[in-house]
Amino acid sequence: KRPDKIAEFFKLYGPQILSNSSSSSSSSRSGPEGCTDWREWFLLPYLQHPEREQRFQVYFSTEWSALLEISFRNFLSGVMRCLPLPAVLRFNTDRRLRLALQQQVHMLQDELDKCRKQLDTLTAQVHHEQQQQQPQQQAAQQQQHIQQHYTLRQSDHIP
């Protein structure tokens, strides 16, 4: 914002910064085509055609751009996999879960109705069988009672 202050800063401290960085940059050679340190990257905004500079040509190639895009996508997908799903995006998941639970409730209610009908049918059958057996049991009890009574009378007549 104030180019005069920036120029003044570099006039005063520029040689000192260059001497400090040149002594430490001799051991820090890294990157493509022997970029010595970060100083070269600070030149980038001031170059009119950085794609023509030999030290930056690699970074303006389509291969490097494609590789950067793939790496960035992989990085973002890894980050997104670790993050929980935001509540705004969970509405569909919650809706699907609610629908699945409703279907399960309806299915269980249908099964319960079937079981109740089956129980009612079996209860009615048992009740019907008991009613059919009851007269037979009553007749058998009456027969037994008559027989006991008859044997008692006979024993009374025997001298």
Side-chain angles (χ1 to χ4, degrees), residues 44-106:
L44 199 58
Y46 302 104
L47 295 173
Q48 286 189 359
H49 300 286
E51 68 276 0
R52 294 182 189 162
E53 289 286 325
Q54 185 177 5
R55 55 188 159 203
F56 297 118
Q57 279 180 348
V58 172
Y59 305 111
F60 290 95
S61 69
T62 56
E63 296 86 16
W64 189 85
S65 176
L67 183 62
L68 177 66
E69 183 181 351
I70 290 169
S71 297
F72 188 63
R73 284 179 189 264
N74 289 341
F75 169 74
L76 287 180
S77 69
V79 167
M80 295 306 235
R81 249 183 272 121
C82 295
L83 293 176
L85 194 62
V88 172
L89 297 177
R90 270 195 318 248
F91 77 94
N92 197 28
T93 305
D94 291 343
R95 184 180 65 81
R96 276 193 250 141
L97 177 63
R98 183 177 42 91
L99 289 174
L101 289 173
Q102 284 175 343
Q103 286 177 347
Q104 187 178 10
V105 165
H106 289 302

Side-chain angles (χ1 to χ4, degrees), residues 139-152:
Q141 285 176 352
Q142 284 178 355
Q143 181 112 8
Q144 190 179 24
H145 182 67
I146 292 172
Q147 206 173 20
Q148 285 176 352
H149 186 68
Y150 179 71
T151 51
L152 282 176

Side-chain angles (χ1 to χ4, degrees), residues 95-149:
R95 184 180 65 81
R96 276 193 250 141
L97 177 63
R98 183 177 42 91
L99 289 174
L101 289 173
Q102 284 175 343
Q103 286 177 347
Q104 187 178 10
V105 165
H106 289 302
M107 197 171 62
L108 290 172
Q109 284 175 340
D110 291 343
E111 188 176 339
L112 179 63
D113 289 341
K114 287 179 186 176
C115 289
R116 281 184 178 156
K117 286 178 184 177
Q118 189 177 13
L119 179 64
D120 291 342
T121 304
L122 292 174
T123 304
Q125 283 178 349
V126 167
H127 184 68
H128 182 69
E129 288 174 5
Q130 285 177 348
Q131 284 181 346
Q132 284 180 348
Q133 289 178 357
Q134 191 174 16
Q136 292 173 358
Q137 286 177 351
Q138 285 177 351
Q141 285 176 352
Q142 284 178 355
Q143 181 112 8
Q144 190 179 24
H145 182 67
I146 292 172
Q147 206 173 20
Q148 285 176 352
H149 186 68

